[in-house]
């Protein structure tokens, strides 16, 4: 009955792949910021939350078309990323990295309660009902498919930027050696700000896609914040390909155990898998050997 | 011996307080401050050596939920349930701590790995909602009208005040003992340079595991008593990333490197919340965390030694006229000026 070609299992696997695309996108911005600046933005999911609010107010309040609203939100969260870097991270660059992590933890509290104070704790959504596709007896959420596609486009764009552009080369160089590159004439402050902007923009992109699937509320960051950190750690912090692999592993575990049990148990299994794997590869799946 | 007089007087005043003062609301606030102080102090025992754990929300959740579940389903008295919960927290601490320490995972990497523990505990509590009530919270059953030594349930705020004071005293005593043990020197050496410490014969993994297990069991203990006092727990108030960050916040604001720092941090946070709640009522929802978040960022940037830490360091720098016990420096690795 539970053969390999069982249609429900296949559906779960396909949905897992789609979910994996979203997870990979979530992990991408965090990994980029970590890899280049050596900082963990604990408040990353809260930036996404603000982006989702931006989408909500632009789309329902000012009736801006979806694509334009998405562009404005992405830009807005990118600016937030820069503000976060200049206001919080920059004064702490000389101190142990854990201080920067804790300071962004303070920002997490701040953003959550700022959203509570400003927007209240109501659940809001865009009111867009995307159809559910039926492909070969499988039901696939259109919103997830869209998110998967956009995530892939975002990742390819980031890859091309890092691999082909001059600034991208400088970012990769800084990530490899923070001490030497400033001596070679790279302005590390500028690179950090650009990286923070890209990290924020990726959070904004994730926000535009997640707002189609989740209701916005001030604590929505807690629903996908922890899993994003676990994906990054499992893949090896700062390792984008590792994060990619880990995102799909996690998504498949969640999706397939969600089929047989409950979606929440899917998360429990994914976390359990994480702990077990940490015993064997605590530096992450694709750790750089130094 | 003169140094002891003010301490004994302060202890006597604290113990004698409920026999002359009976106003339930201030006593309630004091009990909360004492219980949370115990939790924050337990956290700071690790954090002080650069082992910043975000998993203590998990340990506290284990302490509270294991005790309450054992009581409700198996009618195991908290006198047995709390030690079992502490044991469970110790096991969790070893599970998450051993791979981290064995493979030299430190700093922010360690913080994120321990964050996983908080997330797992929160997720398990929510997923097993048939037993734990999920995010709606959970209440231990009342026994004998809520007043029973067997069930560790007391009605009077005065009794709870003395219980909480006792716990707080024990926690401070443990911290005091650790400060004067070889463990402290070993951990300070490890915090400075792991390889050098290992080369001089410090067993890095074992020493770190010792303090982690100690800190985790104490957090679980205080978490279980928090549950016994409040008679209500929910996943968001005793576990998860929010509670973990709250511990960091209070310890950092009060002062990580001084024994009473986390207590000062607990007093500040709870008084702030209560003041906002009383003055603005429901309009104040969210404002307390808004202030906490801002303060946490400002303190880490400008005052990493915390309030009490900075005050004590300022006093210690004065000439001997300011009669303060000298010769002790609390400045740690992340502390302020060390000249």
């Amino acid at each position: 009955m539970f053969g390999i070609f069982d249609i429900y299992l296949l559906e779960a696997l396909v949905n897992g792949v789609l979910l994996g695309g979203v997870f990979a996108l979530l992990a991408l911005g965090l990994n980029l910021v970590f890899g280049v600046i050596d900082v963990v933005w604990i408040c990353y999911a809260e930036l996404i939350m603000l982006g989702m609010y931006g989408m909500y107010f632009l789309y329902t309040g000012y009736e801006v078309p979806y694509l334009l609203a998405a562009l404005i939100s992405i830009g807005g969260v990118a600016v937030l990323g820069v503000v976060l870097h200049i206001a919080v991270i920059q004064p702490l660059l000389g101190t142990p990295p854990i201080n920067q992590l804790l300071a962004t933890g303070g920002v997490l509290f701040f953003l959550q309660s700022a959203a509570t104070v400003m927007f209240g704790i109501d659940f809001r959504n865009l009111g867009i009902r995307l159809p559910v596709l039926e492909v070969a007896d499988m039901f696939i959420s259109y919103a997830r498919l869209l998110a998967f596609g956009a995530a892939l486009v975002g990742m390819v764009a980031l890859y091309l930027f890092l691999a082909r552009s001059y600034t991208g080369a400088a970012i990769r160089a800084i990530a490899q050696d923070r001490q030497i590159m400033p001596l070679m004439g790279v302005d590390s402050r500028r690179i950090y700000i650009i990286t923070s902007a890209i990290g924020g923009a990726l959070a904004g992109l994730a926000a535009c896609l997640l707002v189609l699937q989740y209701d916005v509320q001030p604590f929505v960051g807690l629903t996908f914040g922890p899993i994003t950190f676990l994906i990054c750690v499992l893949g090896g912090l700062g390792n984008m390909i590792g994060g990619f692999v880990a995102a799909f592993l996690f998504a498949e575990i969640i999706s397939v155990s969600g089929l047989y049990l409950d979606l929440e148990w899917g998360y429990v299994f994914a976390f359990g898998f994480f702990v077990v794997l940490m015993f064997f590869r605590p530096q992450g799946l694709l750790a750089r050997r130094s | 011996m003169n140094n002891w007089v003010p301490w004994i007087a302060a202890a006597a005043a604290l113990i004698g307080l409920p026999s002359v003062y009976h106003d339930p609301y201030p006593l309630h606030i004091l009990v909360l401050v004492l219980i949370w102080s115990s939790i924050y102090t337990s956290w700071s025992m690790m954090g002080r050596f650069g082992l910043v754990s975000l998993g203590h929300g998990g340990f506290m959740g284990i302490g509270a939920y294991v005790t309450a579940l054992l009581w409700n389903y198996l009618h195991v008295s908290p006198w047995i349930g709390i030690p079992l919960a502490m044991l469970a927290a110790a096991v969790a601490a070893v599970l998450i701590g051993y791979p981290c320490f064995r493979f030299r995972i430190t700093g922010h990497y360690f913080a994120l790995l321990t964050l996983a523990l908080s997330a797992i505990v929160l997720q398990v509590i929510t997923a097993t909602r048939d037993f734990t009530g999920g995010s709606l919270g959970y209440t231990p059953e009342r026994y004998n009208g809520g007043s029973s030594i067997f069930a560790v349930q007391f009605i009077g705020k005065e009794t709870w005040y003395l219980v909480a004071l006792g716990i707080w005293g024990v926690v401070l005593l443990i911290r005091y003992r650790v400060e004067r043990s070889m463990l402290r020197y070993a951990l300070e050496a490890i915090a400075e340079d792991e390889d050098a410490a290992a080369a001089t014969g410090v067993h890095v993994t074992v020493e770190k595991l010792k303090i982690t297990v100690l800190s985790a069991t104490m957090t679980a203990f205080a978490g279980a008593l928090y549950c016994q006092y409040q008679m209500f727990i929910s996943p968001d108030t005793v576990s998860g990333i929010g509670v973990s960050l709250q511990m960091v916040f209070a310890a950092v604001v009060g002062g990580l490197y001084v024994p009473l720092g986390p207590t000062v941090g607990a007093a500040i946070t709870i008084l702030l919340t209560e003041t906002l709640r009383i003055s603005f009522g429901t309009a104040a929802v969210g404002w307390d965390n808004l202030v906490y978040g801002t303060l946490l960022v400002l303190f880490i940037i400008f005052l990493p030694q915390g309030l009490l830490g900075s005050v004590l360091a300022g006093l210690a720098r004065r000439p001997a006229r300011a009669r303060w016990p000298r010769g002790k420096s609390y400045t740690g690795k992340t502390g302020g000026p060390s000249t």
Side-chain angles (χ1 to χ4, degrees):
Chain A
M1 185 178 166
F2 292 137
I4 193 80
F5 292 115
D6 182 53
I7 195 74
Y8 294 107
L9 183 62
L10 200 61
E11 185 184 287
L13 287 174
V14 171
N15 271 319
V17 170
L18 296 184
L19 184 66
V22 181
F23 281 171
L25 178 66
L26 282 171
L28 196 62
L30 203 61
N31 262 334
L32 177 75
V33 172
F34 179 83
V36 177
I37 318 181
D38 198 21
V39 165
V40 179
W41 285 359
I42 284 282
C43 57
Y44 187 72
E46 274 58 41
L47 293 181
I48 297 175
M49 180 262 294
L50 288 185
M52 288 167 81
Y53 268 111
M55 283 300 289
Y56 170 79
F57 284 114
L58 285 171
Y59 187 82
T60 58
Y62 299 97
E63 294 176 356
V64 181
Y66 178 82
L67 278 179
L68 185 63
L71 281 178
I72 299 175
S73 299
I74 292 172
V77 183
V79 171
L80 278 179
V82 173
V83 171
L84 174 70
H85 181 78
I86 293 178
V88 178
I89 306 294
Q90 207 152 280
L92 288 170
L93 273 179
T95 60
I98 190 70
N99 287 18
Q100 296 142 23
L101 182 144
L102 295 180
T104 58
V107 177
L108 180 150
F109 268 132
F110 178 82
L111 294 181
Q112 254 178 20
S113 26
T116 313
V117 169
M118 285 191 295
F119 311 130
I121 50 169
D122 305 328
F123 283 54
R124 302 155 191 263
N125 61 60
L126 292 189
I128 300 178
R129 286 277 160 268
L130 288 169
V132 175
L133 299 182
E134 203 184 333
V135 183
D137 290 340
M138 288 185 292
F139 292 100
I140 291 161
S141 147
Y142 192 70
R144 274 194 183 170
L145 197 63
L146 198 69
F148 179 74
L152 280 190
V153 169
M155 280 179 269
V156 171
L158 180 70
Y159 174 78
L160 288 178
F161 171 73
L162 287 179
R164 297 289 163 83
S165 77
Y166 189 73
T167 316
I171 290 178
R172 281 183 294 135
I174 285 272
Q176 279 178 6
D177 198 321
R178 279 175 206 87
Q179 273 84 47
I180 297 297
M181 280 324 285
L183 301 177
M184 306 284 176
V186 176
D187 182 358
S188 61
R189 281 173 57 126
R190 198 177 129 258
I191 295 298
Y192 285 172
I193 288 174
I194 293 174
T195 308
S196 303
I198 299 174
L202 287 167
L205 179 62
C208 304
L209 301 166
L210 287 169
V211 80
L212 295 171
Q213 300 174 45
Y214 293 91
D215 290 346
V216 197
Q217 35 112 358
F219 302 100
V220 72
L222 294 180
T223 52
F224 39 75
I227 190 109
T228 311
F229 296 123
L230 296 201
I231 288 168
C232 289
V233 173
L234 187 64
L237 266 174
N239 185 327
M240 290 183 217
I241 299 169
F244 203 80
V245 175
F248 284 99
L249 265 175
F250 263 35
E252 287 299 344
I253 292 174
I254 290 171
S255 190
V256 172
S257 26
L259 172 70
Y260 295 115
L261 277 156
D262 213 1
L263 198 61
E264 279 156 346
W265 278 104
Y267 278 91
V268 173
F269 281 128
F271 290 172
F273 171 74
F274 171 85
V275 171
V276 171
L277 218 70
M278 276 301 117
F279 269 92
F280 302 108
R281 296 203 68 91
Q283 298 288 359
L285 283 174
L286 304 175
R288 267 176 278 180
R289 268 162 244 254
S290 53
Chain B
M1 282 308 281
N2 258 347
N3 279 345
W4 286 98
V5 174
W7 293 111
I8 291 168
L14 280 173
I15 294 169
L17 182 77
S19 48
V20 289
Y21 191 76
H22 301 285
D23 203 350
Y25 177 68
L27 279 179
H28 168 68
I29 299 297
L30 276 174
V31 173
L32 281 185
V33 168
L34 288 170
I35 292 182
W36 280 111
S37 299
S38 314
I39 293 167
Y40 298 154
T41 309
S42 310
W43 181 87
S44 76
M45 288 176 50
M46 271 179 85
R48 177 192 177 319
F49 299 109
L51 292 166
V52 175
S53 151
L54 294 180
H56 275 55
F59 298 134
M60 188 184 173
I62 291 174
Y65 270 92
V66 168
T67 311
L69 289 170
L70 281 175
W71 169 246
N72 276 13
Y73 287 102
L74 302 174
H75 305 289
V76 176
S77 158
W79 287 101
I80 299 163
I82 292 177
L84 286 176
M86 288 161 73
L87 192 66
V91 170
V94 172
L95 272 180
I96 200 83
Y98 180 76
C100 287
F101 302 146
R102 175 73 185 76
F103 296 104
R104 298 283 179 88
I105 288 172
T106 53
H108 44 347
Y109 217 109
F110 178 70
L112 282 186
L113 267 171
T114 47
L115 176 70
L117 182 74
S118 291
I120 292 169
V121 171
L122 183 72
Q123 201 70 43
V124 169
I125 293 171
T126 326
T128 53
R129 64 168 56 83
D130 295 343
F131 301 99
T132 60
S135 45
L136 292 176
Y138 195 65
T139 308
E141 274 164 29
R142 285 191 181 277
Y143 184 78
N144 194 18
S147 165
S148 153
I149 292 179
F150 170 67
V152 195
Q153 294 174 359
F154 311 110
I155 292 176
K157 297 282 181 208
E158 289 90 347
T159 322
W160 266 113
Y161 171 80
L162 288 175
V163 171
L165 189 68
I167 296 160
W168 178 70
V170 169
V171 167
L172 281 183
L173 194 68
I174 293 175
R175 180 171 166 145
Y176 178 86
R177 294 297 299 238
V178 170
E179 294 279 307
R180 264 151 197 72
S181 66
M182 279 309 284
L183 184 61
R184 178 234 173 127
Y185 293 106
L187 286 166
E188 277 186 346
I190 291 169
E192 289 293 330
D193 189 330
E194 277 199 18
D195 295 315
T200 53
V202 176
H203 200 310
V204 175
T205 311
V206 169
E207 302 294 332
K208 279 185 171 178
L209 265 183
K210 272 189 208 163
I211 195 80
T212 309
V213 168
L214 183 65
S215 172
T217 45
M218 283 161 61
T219 308
F221 176 62
L225 278 145
Y226 172 81
C227 167
Q228 295 295 319
Y229 175 63
Q230 292 286 49
M231 293 302 276
F232 175 75
I233 43 176
S234 77
D236 298 317
T237 51
V238 296
S239 72
I241 177 173
V243 179
S244 304
L245 279 174
Q246 197 185 323
M247 293 179 196
V248 179
F249 168 74
V252 167
V253 166
L256 199 52
Y257 304 101
V258 284
L260 285 176
T263 306
V264 171
I268 292 172
T269 50
I270 289 168
L271 287 179
L272 183 69
T273 310
E274 290 297 316
T275 315
L276 284 171
R277 197 171 61 83
I278 291 167
S279 355
F280 301 103
T282 48
V285 171
W287 280 101
D288 51 347
N289 277 335
L290 197 73
V291 179
Y292 291 168
T294 319
L295 281 180
L296 180 55
V297 175
L298 291 178
F299 268 84
I300 289 176
I301 295 179
F302 297 110
L303 214 59
Q305 278 181 301
L307 269 185
L308 191 66
S310 301
V311 169
L312 290 186
L315 286 173
R317 265 201 298 276
R318 289 236 192 108
R321 220 162 3 107
R323 292 191 54 244
W324 199 262
R326 289 171 58 90
K328 254 189 300 177
S329 106
Y330 292 106
T331 44
K333 210 178 174 190
T334 49
S338 52
T339 38

